Amino acid sequence: GIAYTPSMILEKDEIVSQDDFKGLMDRYTVALSPTTKKVWKSFKTSFLGYKKVDKIQEVTLEVVKGYAKHLEDSGMKESTVKMTLSKLAALCKFAVEEGIIKESPFKRFNINKKYKTTSKTVYIHHRSIEVMKEMFLNDVIVQNGKLWSYKDDSFEKMIDRTSDLFARYFWLCGLLFQGLAPIDLCQLE
């Protein structure tokens, strides 16, 4: 029969259990953007739909492995499974930092080792680079034996960001200057 005061409401929040799963997630996502919160909300729905978990201590290694298997069986790609499990791992790490649990179950379950992004090495062969260089030179210069000169419109095309010549030039500069970021390439003189 007594009206609530702000101090009473704050005291009520203190009574909420520290290891409550939903409360822990709310505290973890409090500083995130609204869009990111929506992603976390869908994760929470997915995880709680798989296993009814009230406390963070109930998230064990077996639960993590079962959830990973559940995600795989639902037809998710490996990258999506990895991203979803990384959210659960971040929440467990937060619980360890808060002192709610002693050890994260992800300490014994390595996400990156289980879900590799790719198993093959991708590279550009040096002959392909030579071909690209020759194509670029054919578009830019006119060659007559050992003598050569620039084509009339080659500089305009190289400066125009919508041209394919600009894209090839930019790509070759990236290789020539050993992978500099585009903003650094733009500042070269």
Side-chain angles (χ1 to χ4, degrees):
I2 302 171
Y4 279 112
T5 62
S7 61
M8 291 170 76
I9 293 171
L10 288 174
E11 285 174 15
K12 186 174 182 184
D13 286 345
E14 291 293 324
I15 296 169
V16 173
S17 175
Q18 284 268 333
D19 55 359
D20 177 58
F21 187 81
K22 292 176 186 174
L24 184 71
M25 183 176 279
D26 291 341
R27 279 191 316 197
Y28 183 74
T29 59
V30 74
L32 300 177
S33 71
T35 308
T36 311
K37 282 183 181 180
K38 283 182 185 176
V39 173
W40 273 86
K41 188 176 179 182
S42 67
F43 156 71
K44 180 168 80 172
T45 306
S46 166
F47 183 67
L48 293 178
Y50 162 70
K51 186 104 172 164
K52 181 66 178 152
V53 176
D54 293 327
K55 301 188 180 300
I56 193 69
Q57 288 91 342
E58 296 173 12
V59 180
T60 61
L61 182 61
E62 291 75 30
V63 171
V64 170
K65 286 181 178 179
Y67 185 53
K69 180 85 171 100
H70 168 73
L71 294 175
E72 287 171 8
D73 292 344
S74 68
M76 280 188 182
K77 292 184 179 178
E78 285 188 1
S79 58
T80 311
V81 172
K82 182 178 177 181
M83 184 183 68
T84 306
L85 288 175
S86 68
K87 286 182 178 32
L88 186 58
L91 198 61
C92 289
K93 183 180 177 190
F94 180 67
V96 170
E97 289 169 359
E98 292 283 310
I100 298 169
I101 58 175
K102 292 189 189 318
E103 182 180 81
S104 170
F106 286 90
K107 195 167 188 175
R108 292 174 280 146
F109 182 79
N110 190 343
I111 302 170
N112 295 325
K113 196 172 188 181
K114 173 122 175 77
Y115 300 101
K116 297 177 184 174
T117 52
T118 182
S119 59
K120 60 183 177 181
T121 306
V122 180
Y123 66 93
I124 300 170
H125 197 273
H126 67 88
R127 288 189 193 111
S128 300
I129 296 170
E130 290 297 321
V131 168
M132 287 292 289
K133 187 171 115 182
E134 289 299 319
M135 286 173 59
F136 173 73
L137 289 175
N138 287 338
D139 286 344
V140 174
I141 64 171
V142 176
Q143 195 166 4
N144 186 6
K146 290 190 177 186
L147 299 172
W148 61 272
S149 63
Y150 289 106
K151 290 184 179 176
D152 292 336
D153 61 344
S154 61
F155 286 116
E156 288 81 16
K157 285 184 179 176
M158 283 175 32
I159 293 172
D160 181 17
R161 290 180 178 220
T162 60
S163 71
D164 60 338
L165 190 60
F166 174 82
R168 275 187 264 149
Y169 174 66
F170 202 68
W171 186 79
L172 286 169
C173 282
L175 290 174
L176 177 66
F177 294 109
Q178 300 172 355
L180 283 179
I183 189 64
D184 295 331
L185 283 174
C186 292
Q187 293 174 357
L188 288 175
E189 294 180 6

